């Protein structure tokens, strides 16, 4: 059985992923329609790592998404403790901002 802390972590990760998904442009929505449908399926089944991989791949392939998408994906990676992805995304945000950036998760709220 999942602990309350784990359930809260899943909820936060899901929120980051859904917010990132909501930030995609209409052109990306159209081009990656099938992938985004798969993302929604993964979210429904709490497969957050797979959902993250889909959004991360779309953001990387499309190369047209906002810095906010990348920041939210970095938060999701940090929430799931996927350090390599978080560091890669932090580097991307740093380049977009023109200065160093490091994702910091906000304190968890019960």
């Amino acid at each position: 059985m999942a602990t309350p802390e784990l359930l809260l972590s899943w909820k936060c990760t899901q929120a980051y992923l859904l917010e990132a998904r909501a930030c995609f442009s209409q052109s990306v929505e159209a081009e990656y329609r099938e992938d985004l449908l798969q993302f929604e399926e993964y979210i429904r089944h709490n497969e957050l790592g797979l959902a993250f991989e889909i959004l991360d791949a779309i953001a990387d392939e499309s190369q047209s998404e906002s810095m906010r998408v990348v920041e939210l994906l970095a938060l999701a990676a940090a929430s799931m403790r996927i350090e390599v992805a978080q560091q890669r995304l932090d580097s991307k945000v740093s380049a977009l901002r023109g200065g160093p950036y490091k994702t910091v998760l906000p304190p968890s709220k019960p």
Side-chain angles (χ1 to χ4, degrees):
M1 179 160 188
T3 65
E5 294 82 16
L6 184 57
L7 292 172
L8 179 60
S9 174
W10 288 345
K11 184 178 178 181
C12 290
T13 300
Q14 184 180 46
Y16 296 135
L17 292 171
L18 289 171
E19 190 174 343
R21 162 68 178 85
C23 291
F24 281 128
S25 65
Q26 289 182 344
S27 61
V28 168
E29 293 265 345
E31 184 176 349
Y32 294 93
R33 183 179 181 282
E34 292 300 318
D35 293 322
L36 292 170
L37 289 172
Q38 185 63 60
F39 164 81
E40 291 168 11
E41 185 70 18
Y42 287 145
I43 287 290
R44 271 193 296 279
H45 294 285
N46 201 39
E47 295 287 348
L48 302 178
L50 294 171
F52 168 81
E53 288 176 8
I54 286 181
L55 293 188
D56 188 34
I58 291 171
D60 189 52
E61 288 173 27
S62 69
Q63 303 250 332
S64 64
E65 289 312 310
S66 70
M67 181 171 34
R68 186 66 183 147
V69 169
V70 180
E71 289 171 339
L72 288 163
L73 289 174
L75 283 164
S79 180
M80 291 185 286
R81 295 181 178 90
I82 306 173
E83 291 180 22
V84 171
Q86 179 196 333
Q87 291 169 356
R88 177 180 46 77
L89 292 161
D90 284 351
S91 292
K92 203 172 197 180
V93 173
S94 294
L96 290 167
R97 285 187 173 189
Y101 176 82
K102 171 111 171 87
T103 298
V104 176
L105 288 172
S108 297
K109 298 177 186 172

